[in-house]
């Protein structure tokens, strides 16, 4: 009799336990869905933004000389730097007018320093070409950071051969190279001629003295422009520039590129000979293969880490071309 009374109690307890177990299993199954629905309702249509800088290059160059050090590192090892044109959509931050103002400021800085003997006014030209480019080592190495530049060509409205070609760094805006051709190059060569005439007539200096002074000045001003220094012991004297005098045991320069000149300069009639500049300088080189005459000021700067960069300033007064800058900028292979 007592056993019959206890059986319903045990059945009720067992039923309660099974019900609790079923609820627990159901809760475990449904809880993630319930929480997910709650989370969606709380955040739906309420996006949150986080400002994260995404960059292919993690390193930003701290100075222009740092970039030049990287460039020289590969050049000194004979490793080419390939040039790659970037899509125009990636060059939308600076307008054409802003870029022209940037380039004009750099040109004015070089003119004020005496690197350019004549002011170049881009307002007299129209921009015929603008391309954003980036460089990288052709051997597959990766530079520490991105080195990119604007390649620009400004042409005269009257003569397409009268042009100004500039390669300018996008970060520091310094000119990797400057080339004047046609009438622009002729005007720059004429400015040099006037500079030399004034030095000889007014200052009573020889061509060799003027060459040494101008060469030293160019090295100093270019070093200042790029934020570097002048190499120690690089100062030139008139004797250094005066290579050799024919008839006085003079020798052909070691590179065999040309001959020294010693004709007397006729200050009263300097234009009698189209090549009269050879009477002023003894470091004019004649390219025997082409017969072309040009005047080179082999300026140089010290960019640190024991690296000295040549910065030749070239007056090609037969072809009407003036150029100054880092040689690498003239010889980039096009990236395929």
């Amino acid at each position: 009799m007592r056993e019959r009374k206890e059986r319903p109690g045990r059945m009720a307890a067992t039923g309660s336990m099974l019900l609790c177990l079923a609820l627990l299993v159901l809760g475990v199954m449904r809880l993630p869905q319930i929480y997910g629905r709650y989370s969606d309702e709380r955040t739906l249509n309420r996006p949150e933004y986080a400002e994260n800088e995404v960059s292919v290059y993690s390193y930003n160059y701290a100075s222009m000389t740092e970039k030049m050090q990287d460039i020289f590192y590969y050049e000194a090892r004979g490793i080419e730097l390939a040039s790659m044109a970037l899509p125009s959509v990636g060059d939308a931050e600076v307008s054409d007018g802003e870029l022209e103002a940037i380039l004009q400021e750099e040109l004015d800085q070089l003119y004020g320093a005496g690197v350019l003997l004549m002011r170049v006014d881009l307002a007299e030209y129209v921009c015929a070409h603008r391309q954003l480019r980036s460089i990288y080592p052709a051997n597959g190495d990766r530079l520490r950071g991105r080195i990119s530049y604007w390649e620009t060509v400004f042409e005269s409205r009257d003569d397409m051969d009268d042009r100004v070609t500039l390669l300018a760094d996008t970060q520091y805006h310094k000119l990797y190279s400057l080339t004047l051709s046609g009438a622009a190059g002729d005007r720059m060569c004429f400015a040099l001629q006037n500079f030399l005439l004034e030095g000889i007539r007014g200052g009573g200096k020889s061509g060799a003295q003027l060459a040494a002074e101008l060469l030293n000045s160019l090295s100093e001003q270019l070093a200042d422009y790029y934020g570097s220094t002048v190499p120690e012991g690089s100062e030139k004297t008139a004797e250094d520039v005066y290579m050799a005098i024919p008839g006085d045991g003079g020798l052909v320069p070691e590179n065999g590129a040309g001959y020294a000149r010693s004709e007397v300069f006729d200050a009263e009639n300097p234009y009698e000979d189209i090549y009269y500049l050879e009477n002023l300088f003894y470091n004019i080189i004649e390219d025997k293969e082409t017969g072309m005459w040009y005047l080179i000021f082999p300026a140089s700067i010290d960019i640190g880490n024991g690296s000295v960069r040549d910065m030749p300033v070239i007056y090609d007064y037969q072809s009407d071309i003036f150029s100054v800058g880092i040689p690498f900028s003239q010889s980039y292979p096009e990236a395929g």
Side-chain angles (χ1 to χ4, degrees), residues 31-318:
L31 183 61
Q33 299 177 17
I34 294 173
Y35 178 78
R37 189 180 298 114
Y38 167 75
S39 178
D40 288 344
E41 291 177 353
R42 185 170 62 88
T43 61
L44 191 62
N45 295 325
R46 298 176 184 177
E48 296 181 1
Y49 299 94
E51 185 175 350
N52 296 319
E53 182 179 353
V54 179
S55 176
V56 177
Y57 295 92
S58 59
Y59 182 82
N60 290 322
Y61 288 99
S63 66
M64 186 67 183
T65 54
E66 267 198 331
K67 293 188 176 186
M68 296 168 69
Q69 287 171 1
D70 266 13
I71 292 167
F72 180 76
Y73 174 84
Y74 287 98
E75 284 196 333
R77 287 157 179 76
I79 300 172
E80 286 188 318
L81 293 171
S83 172
M84 178 177 63
L86 301 179
S88 57
V89 67
D91 189 22
E93 294 184 3
V94 179
S95 67
D96 289 344
E98 291 171 333
L99 178 56
E100 182 176 331
I102 289 171
L103 297 175
Q104 185 65 64
E105 183 177 352
E106 298 303 310
L107 289 170
D108 288 344
Q109 187 174 344
L110 291 175
Y111 172 66
V115 175
L116 302 181
L117 298 177
M118 176 197 76
R119 185 176 185 271
V120 179
D121 188 358
L122 294 180
E124 300 176 358
Y125 301 83
V126 293
C127 185
H129 172 75
R130 169 180 174 172
Q131 177 68 66
L132 179 65
R133 308 186 74 88
S134 187
I135 63 174
Y136 61 89
N139 68 342
D141 284 357
R142 177 174 172 176
L143 296 171
R144 286 184 293 173
R146 176 176 173 179
I147 298 180
S148 58
Y149 62 94
W150 287 295
E151 177 186 71
T152 58
V153 178
F154 291 83
E155 294 180 350
S156 169
R157 295 178 174 85
D158 302 323
D159 183 2
M160 290 189 301
D161 291 331
D162 180 5
R163 59 175 56 184
V164 180
T165 303
L166 304 168
L167 304 185
D169 185 72
T170 57
Q171 182 181 4
Y172 293 104
H173 302 163
K174 297 302 178 184
L175 298 181
Y176 285 114
S177 78
L178 158 65
T179 302
L180 306 180
S181 55
D186 180 66
R187 289 193 297 271
M188 188 62 72
C189 290
F190 186 74
L192 173 65
Q193 296 169 11
N194 286 336
F195 171 82
L196 300 176
L197 289 173
E198 291 176 4
I200 290 176
R201 289 173 175 171
K205 299 178 180 179
S206 68
Q209 285 177 303
L210 287 172
E213 292 177 5
L214 186 54
L215 176 57
N216 292 331
S217 175
L218 288 171
S219 294
E220 292 174 4
Q221 298 301 341
L222 287 171
D224 183 65
Y225 177 71
Y226 290 105
S228 56
T229 60
V230 178
E232 186 176 353
S234 66
E235 185 174 353
K236 295 294 187 294
T237 66
E239 288 72 22
D240 296 325
V241 175
Y242 190 95
M243 298 192 303
I245 303 179
D248 287 345
L251 303 174
V252 175
E254 291 182 0
N255 59 12
Y259 301 93
R261 300 287 172 169
S262 63
E263 294 88 340
V264 177
F265 171 65
D266 184 0
E268 298 301 324
N269 189 20
Y271 304 102
E272 182 177 354
D273 184 350
I274 191 172
Y275 302 130
Y276 78 90
L277 280 179
E278 67 189 74
N279 299 319
L280 299 179
F281 288 86
Y282 302 112
N283 65 338
I284 292 180
I285 299 173
E286 180 184 10
D287 188 323
K288 293 183 177 180
E289 294 183 0
T290 63
M292 303 294 285
W293 286 85
Y294 50 93
L295 181 63
I296 298 179
F297 292 94
S300 59
I301 61 175
D302 187 342
I303 60 175
N305 290 345
S307 301
V308 175
R309 294 295 288 123
D310 291 330
M311 301 290 293
V313 181
I314 303 174
Y315 289 86
D316 185 338
Y317 54 91
Q318 185 171 356

